[in-house]
C-alpha cells in the first residue's frame, strides 16, 4: 500500500476535467485507488465518486493505492493533481 496527502492545485479544484483525467489514469493501473477528503473515502476510478468529494483548489486529499503497481500509480496520480494541466486549444468559430 502506498499513500500520500497532497493539495489540489487546479484552479477549479478536482472538478470535471481534472477528475476525468484522474480516473482515466487510475484505470490504467491494476492497483486499487481510493481518495480521501475529510471523512469521505471514494473509489479513485469513479468520476462520480471524485466529484462528490467537492475538492476545491488547495483542498487536501489523500491518495491511497494498493496492488502490484501501487507505487507507480501513486506517483503518477500525485503528479496529475499537483501539476498544472495544459491548456486546451480554443476551437475556431464558424462564420
Amino acid at each position: 500500500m502506498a499513500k500520500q496527502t497532497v493539495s489540489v492545485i487546479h484552479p477549479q479544484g478536482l472538478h470535471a476535467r481534472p477528475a476525468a483525467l484522474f480516473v482515466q489514469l487510475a484505470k490504467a493501473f491494476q492497483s486499487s485507488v481510493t481518495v480521501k477528503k475529510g471523512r469521505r473515502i471514494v473509489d479513485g476510478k469513479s468520476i462520480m465518486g471524485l466529484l462528490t468529494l467537492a475538492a476545491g483548489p488547495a483542498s487536501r486529499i489523500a491518495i491511497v493505492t494498493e496492488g502490484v503497481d501501487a507505487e507507480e500509480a501513486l506517483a503518477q496520480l500525485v503528479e496529475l493533481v499537483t501539476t498544472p494541466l495544459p491548456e486546451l486549444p480554443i476551437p475556431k468559430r464558424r462564420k
Side-chain angles (χ1 to χ4, degrees):
M1 181 176 85
K3 177 181 177 182
Q4 188 168 343
T5 300
V6 295
S7 294
V8 177
I9 67 150
H10 305 299
Q12 297 83 21
L14 201 54
H15 219 275
R17 183 170 169 236
L21 293 171
F22 188 98
V23 168
Q24 185 179 16
L25 180 59
K27 286 184 176 180
F29 293 96
Q30 293 179 15
S31 295
S32 65
V33 177
T34 55
V35 180
K36 179 180 178 187
K37 179 181 174 247
R39 293 183 184 178
R40 289 194 59 94
I41 300 173
V42 299
D43 181 355
K45 296 183 179 182
S46 164
I47 192 163
M48 291 306 293
L50 286 179
L51 293 176
T52 63
L53 290 177
S59 293
R60 299 282 293 166
I61 61 170
I63 303 170
V64 181
T65 57
E66 190 165 352
V68 294
D69 50 6
E71 294 291 335
E72 180 65 22
L74 180 64
Q76 290 192 29
L77 292 167
V78 166
E79 183 177 343
L80 177 74
V81 173
T82 60
T83 304
L85 295 175
E87 293 295 323
L88 294 176
I90 298 172
K92 293 182 180 177
R93 298 178 89 185
R94 294 183 181 182
K95 291 184 178 182

